[in-house]
Amino acid sequence: MNDLPVQPNYYAIIPSEVRYDSRLKANEKLLFAEITSLTNKKGYCYASNDYFAELYSVQKGAISKWISGLEKFGYLSREIIKDNKGQIIERRLYINSSLGGMVQKDNRGMVQKDQYINKYINNIYSLFERWNSKEKVIKHKKITKDMERYCLKALELYDYDEISIAIDRLNNAVADEDYYYNYKWSFYNFFKQKNGYLSWLDEGQQYNNYLEFKSSKGKSKENNSKVNDIKKRREL
């Protein structure tokens, strides 16, 4: 199989919960990342074991074991699609939105999948990792369903890059020792509260307040420099 089942993302995500799970083998973690990169288009991955086996130069049996390991610990769930004759026509792999948790089932015994969250799963976890990389915010060991939900709402309204920049701006402002803003945000509150990420977008109040501060500080330094220069000339 030479053709990609879907065009994968440039980036693949391995959230910390998966990365540091000692129960998982290294290849299972790698496969998980590959699956995340193939889920965005439809909210699930329909690549076959043949595809993964060729991709990693291993036997199909190895792929099957890796997928089973990810299922066993709650990171993946699968759905088998059959035609009217009962023949299998497709297998779908879903990233569980509540990573590491038990998969919920409806009253028909079918696994419930939040396809909408799966569509954005890469961006949600990439923002979470970006958040935890900052020094002036409250860091988290794992992402919760509520964190996912509010982050998803933000991604419905704004681009990933815009939100990433908002996180950077917040951290820079708090890190600026000359600036008054020193409140440490949590990931959850940053996306839930109205004065959170929205305040650090291009038109956001907090961001523009910070720009004004930086501008006035720059003018103050310039004026002080001119005054000092005049004093030196007079002394000469």
Side-chain angles (χ1 to χ4, degrees):
M1 181 181 292
N2 296 319
D3 296 331
L4 289 173
V6 293
Q7 183 63 40
N9 285 344
Y10 184 75
Y11 293 104
I13 304 299
I14 310 181
S16 58
E17 190 170 358
V18 174
R19 198 162 62 242
Y20 300 121
D21 192 331
S22 60
R23 300 170 300 176
L24 295 175
K25 298 176 181 178
N27 286 333
E28 290 172 338
K29 296 175 184 180
L30 181 62
L31 180 61
F32 177 89
E34 192 69 39
I35 291 171
T36 68
S37 74
L38 294 168
T39 57
N40 273 13
K41 185 174 182 180
K42 292 190 174 183
Y44 59 85
C45 169
Y46 60 86
S48 66
N49 285 3
D50 284 319
Y51 167 75
F52 288 123
E54 182 175 347
L55 184 66
Y56 293 114
S57 301
V58 297
Q59 298 296 319
K60 284 197 303 180
I63 299 296
S64 180
K65 289 181 180 178
W66 299 351
I67 290 175
S68 294
L70 290 166
E71 281 187 295
K72 177 181 178 181
F73 298 115
Y75 295 112
L76 287 183
S77 57
R78 79 174 84 188
E79 181 180 13
I80 303 300
I81 307 300
K82 297 181 180 180
D83 60 19
N84 294 333
K85 297 181 180 180
Q87 298 296 313
I88 297 175
I89 58 176
E90 187 177 73
R91 182 207 52 198
R92 298 175 180 178
L93 297 174
Y94 294 85
I95 304 295
N96 289 334
S97 59
S98 55
L99 283 178
M102 297 302 293
V103 180
Q104 297 178 346
K105 295 184 179 180
D106 61 20
N107 55 13
R108 295 172 299 170
M110 295 295 292
V111 177
Q112 293 179 341
K113 293 94 176 178
D114 192 339
Q115 293 188 21
Y116 206 53
I117 288 182
N118 282 332
K119 179 181 178 181
Y120 289 97
I121 195 73
N122 277 8
N123 287 340
I124 291 173
Y125 279 92
S126 181
L127 288 173
F128 184 71
E129 295 287 340
R130 189 186 194 94
W131 179 271
N132 276 339
S133 72
K134 303 301 179 184
E135 292 297 325
K136 299 300 181 178
V137 300
I138 297 174
K139 301 188 180 189
H140 308 277
K141 291 183 178 180
K142 62 183 292 186
I143 193 168
T144 66
K145 288 183 179 180
D146 285 337
M147 289 179 188
E148 285 180 352
R149 181 158 55 93
Y150 284 107
C151 184
L152 175 61
K153 287 183 178 180
L155 288 168
E156 291 174 336
L157 300 173
Y158 298 95
D159 292 338
Y160 168 84
D161 289 339
E162 291 179 288
I163 298 174
S164 297
I165 292 172
I167 292 174
D168 294 344
R169 288 169 175 171
L170 165 69
N171 187 72
N172 291 339
V174 179
D176 191 333
E177 295 181 355
D178 295 325
Y179 195 49
Y180 74 94
Y181 195 87
N182 57 9
Y183 179 77
K184 281 195 174 184
W185 286 84
S186 68
F187 187 84
Y188 172 77
N189 287 329
F190 185 71
F191 285 101
K192 180 184 178 183
Q193 296 181 195
K194 290 183 179 179
N195 63 333
Y197 78 94
L198 292 172
S199 290
W200 297 97
L201 297 174
D202 287 346
E203 303 301 323
Q205 185 64 49
Q206 291 291 354
Y207 174 57
N208 282 281
N209 288 346
Y210 186 58
L211 287 182
E212 289 180 11
F213 165 78
K214 296 293 284 185
S215 177
S216 63
K217 184 180 178 183
K219 289 179 180 178
S220 177
K221 284 185 176 180
E222 183 179 348
N223 290 334
N224 289 336
S225 178
K226 288 180 179 179
V227 170
N228 291 332
D229 186 50
I230 292 173
K231 287 181 177 178
K232 287 181 180 178
R233 289 180 182 179
R234 286 177 178 175
E235 291 173 357
L236 293 174

